[in-house]
Amino acid sequence: MSLHTPSPEKHWDDAREGDTCTSPTYLVTKERILAYADLTGDHTPVHVDEAYAQASHFGGIVAHGLFGLSIADGLKTRSDYRFLPGMSLGWTWDFLLPIRVDDELHVRFSITGLRASKSKPGWGIVILPSELVNQHGQVVQKGEHRLMVPRRPGTF
C-alpha cells in the first residue's frame, strides 16, 4: 500500500461532471485474501488452498470477486477526490479478470451524473463509473457506483 494524504472531503455541490481521479495503489497478498476468506466465511478452495488453486484453470490462488469490489470502494475513499460520508445507493459491477497474489491495484473513476435528491433535501446523487486496474494496465473489474452525498449547507 502506498502512503497517501487525501485532500479535504467534498460536498455534492463541489463535484462536476467530467471530473476524474486515479486512486493510490493496493498490493494484493495471500494473507489479505485469506483474511477476506475468514471475514466472509467463503473458503472456496481456489481462494485458500494453494495445491487446489494451482491445479485449477487459474493456476494459483485468486481473490474473491467481492474482494475486488471491496478494495475498489476502499481505494476511492483514499483518493484525492473523495466525498463526505454519504449513503451508497447501489453498484453495478462486472468481474472481468482474476485478481492474483502480488497484483498491485488502483481505481480510475469519474463523475458522469449529478442530480439533487428529490426525496432528501440537503443531499445529492453522484454517478461514479469506476475501473479496478492491475499493474499491467488491465481492467480486472469495472462498474458504476451510485452515491448519495450531503450538499453544502445553504445551497439548496
Side-chain angles (χ1 to χ4, degrees):
M1 249 197 265
S2 65
L3 296 175
H4 189 72
T5 306
S7 61
E9 297 168 318
K10 297 180 183 308
H11 289 84
W12 177 84
D13 310 86
D14 301 324
R16 299 290 173 262
E17 284 193 39
D19 287 351
T20 62
C21 186
T22 299
S23 76
T25 60
Y26 178 94
L27 180 63
V28 178
T29 65
K30 183 177 179 181
E31 293 74 23
R32 287 175 166 173
I33 294 171
L34 296 176
Y36 188 86
D38 287 342
L39 178 69
T40 63
D42 180 351
H43 292 95
T44 303
V46 76
H47 303 307
V48 300
D49 183 323
E50 191 69 53
Y52 181 96
Q54 284 289 339
S56 78
H57 61 279
F58 292 111
I61 287 181
V62 294
H64 306 70
L66 291 176
F67 175 103
L69 175 56
S70 298
I71 296 311
D73 195 38
L75 284 171
K76 284 186 353 210
T77 68
R78 294 180 46 232
S79 72
D80 285 334
Y81 199 108
R82 60 193 175 95
F83 291 99
L84 288 161
M87 295 174 265
S88 182
L89 299 177
W91 288 86
T92 56
W93 202 246
D94 296 321
F95 307 95
L96 305 175
L97 295 170
I99 296 172
R100 302 181 180 283
V101 173
D102 295 328
D103 274 355
E104 190 170 344
L105 305 174
H106 68 273
V107 173
R108 293 188 302 238
F109 63 94
S110 60
I111 296 179
T112 60
L114 292 163
R115 73 171 176 84
S117 173
K118 294 177 181 126
S119 62
K120 291 197 170 285
W123 293 81
I125 298 167
V126 180
I127 307 299
L128 299 164
S130 306
E131 295 179 324
L132 185 62
V133 182
N134 68 17
Q135 71 278 10
H136 305 295
Q138 299 169 308
V139 177
V140 296
Q141 296 183 1
K142 70 177 182 174
E144 183 178 272
H145 188 198
R146 293 171 314 286
L147 185 63
M148 189 175 291
V149 179
R151 295 191 66 180
R152 190 170 295 286
T155 60
F156 50 94

